[in-house]
Amino acid sequence: MEHTYQYAWIIPFLPLPIPMLLGVGLLLFPTATKNLRLPYINMYGLGPINNDFSLEFGYLIDPLTSIMSILITTVGIMVLIYSDNYMSHDQGYLRFFAYMIGMCSYLLIGFWFTRPIAANACQKAFVTNRVGDFGLLLGILGLYWITGRTNFLFVSLCVLFLFVGAVAKSAQFPLHVWLPDAMEGPTPISALIHAATMVAAGIFLLARLFPLFIVIPYIMSLISLIGIITILLGATLALAQKDIKRSLAYSTMSQLGYTMLALGMGSYRAALFHLITHAYSKALLFLGSGSIIHSMEAIVGYSPDKSQNMVLMGGLTKHVPITKNTFLLGTLSLCGIPPLACFWSKDEILNDSWLYSPIFAIIACLTAGLTAFYMFRIYLLTFEGYLNVHCKNYSGKKSSLFYSISLWGKEGPKTKKKKMRLLTLLTTDNNENAKASFFFEEGIST
């Protein structure tokens, strides 16, 4: 039985050769394939195919598909090259590339399935996206059924269902919960699927169906409302993260909110412009975070709780100077510093938001400031100051030594001949409770 379980993964692949052979046959030998297929169709009682019937396959090449093709191709190639070295030490190297080529996000998020948190994360992503897919399917079937009829209310309901699918794919409120947990997968997957491709699918869906959405003002208002909520929610959650990848995940959620807001306002070109600029900037940041994580693993060993914890980092500039420069470039771009790419796209969205709603514009501008704050928080905690991991006791023993570490990871003046815990705590002689600042984690091991 153990051998059966060992090769059970082959079962899902068994149906794969049939459609592949049919596709190759239709392309190379259409007449012979058609002759082989007709007897089976007649056998099931479907009757002969009318000679006037034709089924056409092709590609629609327009500006939207051209943009997405260039984006996904360029980012995908860079991530594949990066993955070759990043995953070279992993025992699942071949399995990783098999999943990337032919499988879905579910298996890639749960790639290290022996870790319970990764197994739970892939299930969470699967269930959340199935909610969106169910809405998308209802919308497609409803529109197919209503074609040729006039029922504005039903059409509005179908369009709303289509929007639910886009909300789940692009991690918008309230179906955003899967994206931060999806960071349990390998970092190249975070850069490819969860920064440039999969999360862009929802935006692509809205852009493709934009002529349908724009004729229903209530749906457009709902899109802009969901976008502005996601912008603020993602930015505020990113402020409180210690894990570098989760911080970037919440940042992705917030920046995609800008594109959703732009689509809701009718700024089609600004939305696609920001989608492209953000995808390249965020892919650069995720790949940089992978380099940082590998550098930390040389010190703390393989432990995502430690190697991805920003409060244990600091002073990495001299160890990874190239990564530091590229990460700074991505940070400046995402913060909207001219003349980098995100400045132009975000500026266009903010300008249009003032014409659409002053309240939305104020929230969007304030969130742009928060974006600069949490991105430079990530950068400074990671690369500046001193390496804080040396202040941490990993032996599991109680330590009575304390270090006082400042806001940005630098060592401050010693107030006692004791070592203070990471990014800690102001203690008093009268045993008052520790007061933790925004960046600091409270809690001394007992």
Side-chain angles (χ1 to χ4, degrees):
M1 186 62 69
E2 292 182 1
H3 296 289
T4 303
Y5 290 146
Q6 191 175 10
Y7 296 102
W9 61 270
I10 300 176
I11 295 174
F13 290 95
L14 293 179
L16 185 61
I18 304 302
M20 292 179 63
L21 291 174
L22 287 175
V24 173
L26 287 171
L27 289 174
L28 301 179
F29 312 104
T31 304
T33 305
K34 183 179 178 180
N35 293 333
L36 289 173
R37 186 174 54 185
L38 282 174
Y40 293 98
I41 294 176
N42 291 328
M43 181 180 65
Y44 286 103
L46 298 178
I49 296 178
N50 193 328
N51 292 331
D52 297 332
F53 174 80
S54 63
L55 185 62
E56 298 181 357
F57 293 91
Y59 296 96
L60 173 62
I61 303 298
D62 62 356
L64 179 59
T65 53
S66 300
I67 288 172
M68 296 302 295
S69 298
I70 294 172
L71 168 66
I72 294 172
T73 303
T74 52
V75 174
I77 291 173
M78 294 298 103
V79 170
L80 282 172
I81 296 172
Y82 178 92
S83 302
D84 178 60
N85 186 265
Y86 188 90
M87 299 297 296
S88 60
H89 67 286
D90 197 284
Q91 294 181 352
Y93 176 84
L94 295 177
R95 180 165 56 93
F96 173 81
F97 281 96
Y99 288 176
M100 282 192 72
I101 294 171
M103 303 302 288
C104 61
S105 175
Y106 169 78
L107 294 178
L108 290 168
I109 294 172
F111 182 77
W112 291 307
F113 54 86
T114 54
R115 298 176 57 231
I117 188 171
N120 293 334
C122 67
Q123 294 178 31
K124 190 174 185 178
F126 180 82
V127 172
T128 306
N129 279 279
R130 293 299 73 76
V131 173
D133 289 344
F134 181 68
L136 181 62
L137 180 61
L138 289 179
I140 293 172
L141 295 177
L143 288 176
Y144 178 80
W145 181 80
I146 201 65
T147 300
R149 302 177 178 89
T150 55
N151 189 329
F152 185 77
L153 181 61
F154 188 79
V155 171
S156 301
L157 183 61
C158 294
V159 173
L160 180 61
F161 282 133
L162 293 175
F163 176 60
V164 171
V167 166
K169 291 298 180 184
S170 293
Q172 300 294 289
F173 175 85
L175 299 178
H176 64 280
V177 293
W178 66 272
L179 185 59
D181 290 338
M183 298 300 108
E184 296 300 328
T187 304
I189 299 308
S190 303
L192 179 64
I193 294 182
H194 307 127
T197 56
M198 178 178 171
V199 292
I203 306 299
F204 176 79
L205 174 64
L206 293 185
R208 174 58 69 196
L209 300 177
F210 191 71
L212 180 62
F213 283 93
I214 201 170
V215 298
I216 308 175
Y218 302 105
I219 301 296
M220 294 293 285
S221 300
L222 178 62
I223 293 174
S224 60
L225 178 62
I226 294 297
I228 200 67
I229 292 174
T230 307
I231 289 171
L232 185 60
L233 181 64
T236 51
L237 290 172
L239 289 170
Q241 301 302 312
K242 296 182 296 182
D243 188 299
I244 186 171
K245 288 177 64 177
R246 290 180 71 91
S247 297
L248 295 176
Y250 281 117
S251 174
T252 300
M253 168 185 160
S254 178
Q255 297 303 309
L256 290 175
Y258 276 103
T259 63
M260 195 69 73
L261 172 63
L263 288 171
M265 296 186 301
S267 302
Y268 177 86
R269 287 181 295 179
L272 291 180
F273 188 19
H274 191 64
L275 176 67
I276 299 301
T277 59
H278 164 260
Y280 282 110
S281 300
K282 191 54 63 65
L284 175 63
L285 290 169
F286 268 117
L287 296 181
S289 69
S291 175
I292 294 167
I293 292 168
H294 264 204
S295 301
M296 290 296 294
E297 286 178 350
I299 303 173
V300 300
Y302 176 73
S303 174
D305 294 335
K306 300 172 185 177
S307 60
Q308 297 175 196
N309 193 339
M310 290 185 293
V311 299
L312 304 183
M313 300 177 188
L316 295 180
T317 300
K318 60 183 179 181
H319 302 290
V320 283
I322 297 177
T323 301
K324 179 254 186 184
N325 293 328
T326 56
F327 201 92
L328 177 60
L329 190 65
T331 299
L332 292 174
S333 177
L334 201 64
C335 293
I337 305 299
L340 300 176
C342 285
F343 165 76
W344 306 102
S345 59
K346 193 178 293 186
D347 180 71
E348 188 72 19
I349 295 174
L350 294 178
N351 180 63
D352 292 341
S353 66
W354 284 107
L355 302 176
Y356 180 79
S357 170
I359 296 177
F360 282 12
I362 292 172
I363 296 174
C365 291
L366 289 176
T367 309
L370 289 179
T371 301
F373 183 79
Y374 68 68
M375 285 308 304
F376 272 99
R377 170 180 175 261
I378 295 173
Y379 172 79
L380 293 173
L381 285 177
T382 303
F383 294 102
E384 302 299 329
Y386 300 98
L387 188 60
N388 299 321
V389 69
H390 295 310
C391 304
K392 180 79 175 177
N393 178 21
Y394 293 116
S395 64
K397 300 178 182 178
K398 294 182 179 180
S399 175
S400 60
L401 300 178
F402 294 88
Y403 274 110
S404 174
I405 300 177
S406 75
L407 187 67
W408 302 111
K410 295 181 180 180
E411 182 180 350
K414 296 181 181 179
T415 56
K416 295 184 179 182
K417 290 185 178 179
K418 295 183 177 180
K419 265 192 175 179
M420 208 172 238
R421 207 59 145 146
L422 287 175
L423 295 188
T424 64
L425 303 175
L426 301 172
T427 57
T428 57
D429 293 335
N430 55 2
N431 295 324
E432 290 182 354
N433 291 332
K435 302 175 183 178
S437 75
F438 181 77
F439 290 93
F440 298 161
E441 177 187 11
E442 181 179 353
I444 300 175
S445 61
T446 56

